[in-house]
Amino acid sequence: MRLSGNFKTALLVIVLTLIMNVSSFGQQPIYLDPKQPIEKRVEDLLSQMTLEEKLGQLNSPCPGLMAKGLPDQIDACRKSAEGKFVTNIGPVGGIWSAANMFKEGPRRQAEFLNELQKIAIEKNRLKIPLLFFEEGTHGLLTPGATVFPEGLAIGSTWNTDLVKQIYSVAAREGRTRGVHFLGTLVVEPNRDPRLGRNEEGYSEDSYLCSQIVEAIVKGMQGEDISANDKAISLLCHFPGQSQPVSGLERGAMEISERTLREVFLPPWIAGITKAGALGIMATYPSIDGMPAHGSEKLLTKILREELGFNGLVMCEGGGIGILVYEQIVSTMKEAGALCLKAGVDVSIWHEDGYYNAMRENVQEGKVSIETVDRSVRRILRIKFLLGLFENPYVDVEKAARESNTKENRELALQTAREGIVLLRNEKDLLPLKKNIKSIAVIGPNADAERNQLGDYTHRPVLQDVVTVLEGIRNKVSPQTKVTYVKGCEIIGDKLNEIKKATEAAKKADIAIVVVGENGEITNGEGHDVASLDLTGFQEELLKAVHATGTPTIAILINGRPLSIRWTAENIQAILEAWMCGEEGGNAIADVLFGDYNPGGHLPITFARHSGQLPVYYNYKPSKEYWIKDGWGTKYVDMSALPLYEFGYGLSYTSFEYSNLQITPEEIGPAGVVYVSLDVKNTGKWDGNEVVQLYIDDVISSMSTPVKELKGFEKLSLAAGEKKTVRFKLTTEHLSFLDKNLEPVVEPGMFKVMVGSSSKDIRLTGEFEVK
């Protein structure tokens, strides 16, 4: 029988296919071969995935939104890991906040994440491991982890080496539990203190924020993200949310593109372009009329094409639904389509926008499979970079050993110390003697553990939290009598012990009144204010104690700068301690009794009144003109100047600045200027000083700020010691955006100002760009 040519060809193909299949029998797929390039592994795995499996990778929901009650939440996590449907989501690519469910501590948390990984790998045909996400604002947000000071306390240290250590510890405590991403690292400048969650941010200044975020990413991600002590930095919230309308959560950001690029983008450039951050969370607000979650301009053109971002974009909690309540679209199905096209890769909310509705969008041709593949490709790449296909599990005993160690608590203590700012010290009331006969410790924050921890703090806190009262008792002599009166609540009128507090103050040699905010009621995410004044009876309490004639010290524990006008004018000594973490009480006591010389400087301006807002230091010349030379009354009811300026901070010692050198005096547009000066400790105490360099582009084609921070250095100087500080100014520091929003260095004079704050300028000089 003669065979046709076509039949022979077909038969040959069948035989060759059978031979290839037999020869490859028992070999692992390309994507499981660690010797293959990551890009090749990603494409191999992607080519084998069904649409449902791809859509699963786009979802990393929170257990608390999948079910109610811990047993059901645990069961929901197990089912999701196995690829089963939980409410309206099938397979998942990860889970947000799975470890935080377990109050037993790190060992149990690590065991559960290992269990979920085992289910995902063994019960799913492609054996794709899960991503685990937790919050990491000021330490890992799971019970048993170290609680560092938050936001402005870290910013007040002006110590980027310390920042790097903090987030290195957070990464280690997270990764040893099995956590891969740490989120709510709020890097945008803090521009409106009325917004409650601005307590999570570090500074009002773009340059200082940029230095901090670069340190965060380097500390958290390190050189090798697959290392068992590193995690991915999930920076928030791109491109910003800290200047919303009326200071309200989720309010639109009514800013120009110039403001976006001049103020908000620099920290993202530092975190992404310079440091290589691999995680970004999109912001809630609308910017220029479009919610950021649905903005291709922000999430693709600027973030990826301009800044070179090569990681994952996460939605905010409920972020996809923003497009519905902003009335951009009417359904979650439409919202999901817009968000995925714009560049949101992963949904962390249990809402039907990225699974069932997205499948319908693909099937109906409203979202292309290429758009889905784009995000899945990014997710798989991150999993390969983390080394999860080779090392999906963690050592549960190591998780327990690495959590809240003695060294980690010491770092929390040192951070709290360096973050304390001495605002006032009339007649050198501080430091106190440890053998003082009697102290009255008064106020709603004197013995309030939760209030000094801030938001995004785990429940329960398994370790000891040292309050101010406890710290003072630990520090004074056995003969010192310490009397405690709460006095009032942070807010409301349910407790009024002012009379009792004044009686205690009259009998004491010193009164220490601890006031401020509650990190869960008057401050934190979703807790905005119209007034920056002290709430409740707190100011009345201060006035009453002060009226006794007993020398009085005020300690502030708060997440935002408060308008403490009366306190600033009348209380003899004031410490700003911020949300000072688990060792805050010991740190405050160290400063009160002279075991640590305060060296913190404000990373944000204190307004006299919320009516002054915005009050940041780097305003445009028009404000300077009106305050100094305007013909009218500036404010009829109070000074137009801030209560405490950006960069302000006192010490128990004094510092002398001298010998400013600026070389060369003339440069070209691409030139480099070197600035040096000497700083001497002229007091009797060893101390720390933050030397701050500001510049002013005197004449420019566009209006530029009256001064901008362009360098700083934190010095430790023994009494009588002198050191030389050196700065380097390049085109990055000297350029501004021209009328086309392009960076340019224009010819003209530049003023150099060096000092201890934005107001306390000690030395000035100039150079010229030819």
Side-chain angles (χ1 to χ4, degrees):
M1 182 175 66
R2 300 184 65 181
L3 302 176
S4 69
N6 289 340
F7 186 81
K8 287 181 181 180
T9 302
L11 185 61
L12 180 61
V13 170
I14 292 171
V15 171
L16 288 174
T17 301
L18 288 171
I19 292 172
M20 290 176 64
N21 287 341
V22 170
S23 65
S24 63
F25 183 75
Q27 292 183 359
Q28 63 181 353
I30 289 173
Y31 75 86
L32 291 178
D33 183 359
K35 295 180 181 179
Q36 297 292 335
I38 286 179
E39 290 76 12
K40 189 173 183 180
R41 298 176 73 184
V42 168
E43 294 305 321
D44 179 61
L45 178 52
L46 187 65
S47 69
Q48 301 181 49
M49 297 175 72
T50 65
L51 175 59
E52 287 71 20
E53 288 169 331
K54 291 176 180 179
L55 296 179
Q57 292 297 309
L58 305 182
N59 289 276
S60 293
C62 305
L65 297 171
M66 291 193 282
K68 293 183 178 180
L70 182 59
D72 288 342
Q73 290 169 7
I74 292 172
D75 184 59
C77 288
R78 288 169 175 157
K79 289 179 178 177
S80 292
E82 192 174 345
K84 295 181 178 178
F85 270 81
V86 178
T87 60
N88 55 4
I89 292 180
V92 297
I95 298 176
W96 187 285
S97 200
N100 190 38
M101 294 192 294
F102 294 94
K103 64 182 180 181
E104 296 90 338
R107 184 179 285 103
R108 180 69 184 97
Q109 295 155 10
E111 287 173 348
F112 185 62
L113 298 195
N114 275 349
E115 178 190 349
L116 294 182
Q117 287 288 30
K118 185 177 177 67
I119 292 171
I121 292 168
E122 294 185 357
K123 297 295 181 72
N124 291 281
R125 70 181 188 94
L126 295 176
K127 305 180 184 303
I128 303 175
L130 299 170
L131 290 174
F132 293 117
F133 305 80
E134 295 288 347
E135 307 289 5
T137 313
H138 51 119
L140 174 69
L141 179 60
T142 68
T146 308
V147 183
F148 290 96
E150 186 171 14
L152 294 170
I154 294 174
S156 293
T157 70
W158 294 64
N159 186 339
T160 54
D161 290 336
L162 185 68
V163 172
K164 187 176 180 180
Q165 293 177 56
I166 293 167
Y167 289 96
S168 179
V169 167
R172 187 184 313 122
E173 292 192 353
R175 191 64 181 269
T176 53
R177 285 164 163 84
V179 176
H180 311 115
F181 278 75
L182 292 184
T184 315
L185 305 171
V186 180
V187 303
E188 71 246 26
N190 187 328
R191 304 293 277 186
D192 190 334
R194 294 175 299 175
L195 180 69
R197 76 176 314 180
N198 266 343
E199 78 167 27
E200 301 159 8
Y202 306 97
S203 173
E204 71 182 36
D205 181 70
S206 299
Y207 179 82
L208 181 52
C209 285
S210 297
Q211 306 309 302
I212 290 172
V213 66
E214 193 170 347
I216 289 172
V217 177
K218 289 179 178 178
M220 189 168 284
Q221 295 188 179
E223 298 297 324
D224 179 10
I225 199 61
S226 69
N228 61 12
D229 63 347
K230 294 301 176 185
I232 289 178
S233 306
L234 183 55
L235 306 183
C236 301
H237 304 85
F238 186 82
Q241 65 172 10
S242 62
Q243 194 173 324
V245 170
S246 304
L248 290 171
E249 177 76 16
R250 305 198 187 192
M253 291 260 288
E254 295 180 348
I255 59 173
S256 65
E257 184 159 354
R258 176 171 296 278
T259 299
L260 173 68
R261 293 181 176 277
E262 288 180 344
V263 176
F264 288 94
L265 285 189
W268 299 101
I269 294 170
I272 296 166
T273 308
K274 295 182 179 180
L278 291 171
I280 292 296
M281 180 173 280
T283 191
Y284 281 126
S286 295
I287 297 176
D288 195 23
M290 171 58 73
H293 281 69
S295 173
E296 184 179 357
K297 175 182 177 180
L298 292 173
L299 299 183
T300 297
K301 294 187 181 300
I302 293 179
L303 178 61
R304 293 195 182 272
E305 296 175 11
E306 287 189 33
L307 274 58
F309 179 63
N310 198 24
L312 296 186
V313 175
M314 319 291 295
C315 81
E316 251 286 16
I320 295 171
I322 294 170
L323 280 81
V324 176
Y325 74 65
E326 282 278 23
Q327 300 178 346
I328 304 297
V329 295
S330 59
T331 67
M332 288 298 296
K333 180 179 175 179
E334 295 170 292
L338 273 180
C339 290
L340 190 67
K341 290 176 182 178
V344 177
D345 299 310
V346 179
S347 170
I348 66 168
W349 218 243
H350 206 67
E351 55 192 5
D352 192 16
Y354 262 42
Y355 195 79
N356 288 327
M358 190 63 70
R359 179 172 51 194
E360 293 174 8
N361 279 324
V362 174
Q363 292 169 344
E364 294 167 7
K366 295 174 181 176
V367 173
S368 70
I369 191 63
E370 288 78 17
T371 300
V372 174
D373 285 352
R374 181 181 68 176
S375 289
V376 175
R377 188 177 284 113
R378 293 165 181 166
I379 295 164
L380 296 179
R381 177 177 175 272
I382 290 295
K383 291 185 176 184
F384 283 117
L385 286 173
L386 286 163
L388 297 185
F389 285 84
E390 290 72 51
N391 298 293
Y393 306 116
V394 296
D395 180 346
V396 296
E397 297 305 322
K398 184 176 182 180
R401 290 195 306 271
E402 293 289 349
S403 186
N404 199 234
T405 63
K406 179 182 177 182
E407 293 76 16
N408 295 354
R409 292 193 298 272
E410 283 292 329
L411 184 61
L413 173 61
Q414 184 60 22
T415 305
R417 287 173 180 147
E418 293 195 33
I420 294 171
V421 183
L422 179 61
L423 297 178
R424 199 167 197 246
N425 194 23
E426 294 299 301
K427 299 181 180 178
D428 293 330
L429 178 60
L430 293 175
L432 304 173
K433 293 181 179 180
K434 295 176 186 176
N435 62 355
I436 190 170
K437 290 182 179 180
S438 60
I439 302 174
V441 181
I442 299 165
N445 273 345
D447 195 33
E449 292 185 4
R450 293 295 305 187
N451 288 7
Q452 67 188 50
L453 299 182
D455 70 351
Y456 284 92
T457 301
H458 45 75
R459 291 177 179 273
V461 179
L462 301 181
Q463 64 269 34
D464 181 39
V465 176
V466 184
T467 66
V468 180
L469 177 62
E470 185 181 350
I472 290 171
R473 284 176 170 161
N474 291 341
K475 188 68 64 175
V476 296
S477 70
Q479 292 75 37
T480 301
K481 180 181 179 182
V482 178
T483 304
Y484 165 64
V485 179
K486 186 173 184 179
C488 64
E489 301 288 357
I490 292 291
I491 192 168
D493 56 4
K494 291 184 178 180
L495 179 68
N496 187 341
E497 296 181 331
I498 293 178
K499 184 177 180 181
K500 184 178 178 181
T502 57
E503 290 171 354
K506 288 176 183 177
K507 297 175 183 177
D509 293 314
I510 199 83
I512 299 173
V513 185
V514 191
V515 294
E517 296 185 293
N518 178 313
E520 298 174 324
I521 297 176
T522 65
N523 204 200
E525 184 174 1
H527 301 292
D528 313 318
V529 296
S531 169
L532 299 175
D533 295 347
L534 287 167
T535 52
F537 291 148
Q538 292 184 95
E539 188 164 293
E540 287 87 338
L541 179 66
L542 276 165
K543 289 178 177 179
V545 172
H546 174 263
T548 66
T550 300
T552 303
I553 301 163
I555 298 173
L556 300 172
I557 293 179
N558 49 298
R560 57 165 63 87
L562 299 174
S563 50
I564 51 166
R565 296 181 301 281
W566 184 90
T567 304
E569 295 170 1
N570 294 279
I571 300 298
Q572 199 167 335
I574 307 171
L575 291 179
E576 173 58 87
W578 305 111
M579 300 293 184
C580 47
E582 66 180 60
E583 287 288 335
N586 283 333
I588 291 168
D590 285 343
V591 170
L592 287 173
F593 294 96
D595 287 340
Y596 189 84
N597 186 354
H601 285 247
L602 295 179
I604 192 167
T605 305
F606 273 52
R608 294 179 184 274
H609 189 280
S610 58
Q612 285 183 302
L613 299 176
V615 74
Y616 36 79
Y617 82 96
N618 48 349
Y619 48 80
K620 297 296 175 65
S622 54
K623 181 176 179 179
E624 180 104 323
Y625 160 76
W626 188 250
I627 290 174
K628 288 185 176 180
D629 302 314
W631 58 265
T633 304
K634 285 54 180 179
Y635 285 125
V636 173
D637 47 353
M638 65 182 67
S639 169
L641 299 176
L643 193 60
Y644 296 109
E645 74 271 13
F646 174 83
Y648 175 84
L650 302 177
S651 172
Y652 295 156
T653 190
S654 56
F655 300 96
E656 177 183 85
Y657 289 54
S658 64
N659 193 29
L660 178 66
Q661 301 288 326
I662 302 174
T663 56
E665 295 181 353
E666 295 181 357
I667 61 168
V672 176
V673 173
Y674 297 92
V675 179
S676 67
L677 66 145
D678 296 332
V679 180
K680 182 179 181 180
N681 183 341
T682 54
K684 298 178 181 179
W685 289 75
D686 297 348
N688 300 311
E689 173 69 329
V690 178
V691 181
Q692 302 159 43
L693 183 147
Y694 299 86
I695 68 167
D696 174 21
D697 188 347
V698 179
I699 300 294
S700 51
S701 60
M702 303 295 293
S703 180
T704 57
V706 294
K707 61 170 69 79
E708 291 184 284
L709 181 73
K710 295 297 180 180
F712 62 89
E713 185 168 337
K714 188 167 188 174
L715 296 179
S716 293
L717 293 170
E721 184 181 9
K722 181 169 69 174
K723 288 183 179 179
T724 299
V725 183
R726 295 179 174 85
F727 298 103
K728 179 181 178 180
L729 297 176
T730 67
T731 54
E732 180 182 350
H733 303 95
L734 305 181
S735 63
F736 69 95
L737 299 182
D738 66 13
K739 64 181 181 180
N740 299 313
L741 298 178
E742 295 293 336
V744 62
V745 178
E746 291 184 342
M749 300 301 299
F750 283 78
K751 185 177 180 181
V752 175
M753 297 160 276
V754 184
S756 187
S757 77
S758 59
K759 178 182 177 183
D760 184 12
I761 300 299
R762 308 289 183 86
L763 301 170
T764 62
E766 60 184 20
F767 63 90
E768 185 176 8
V769 175
K770 289 286 190 179

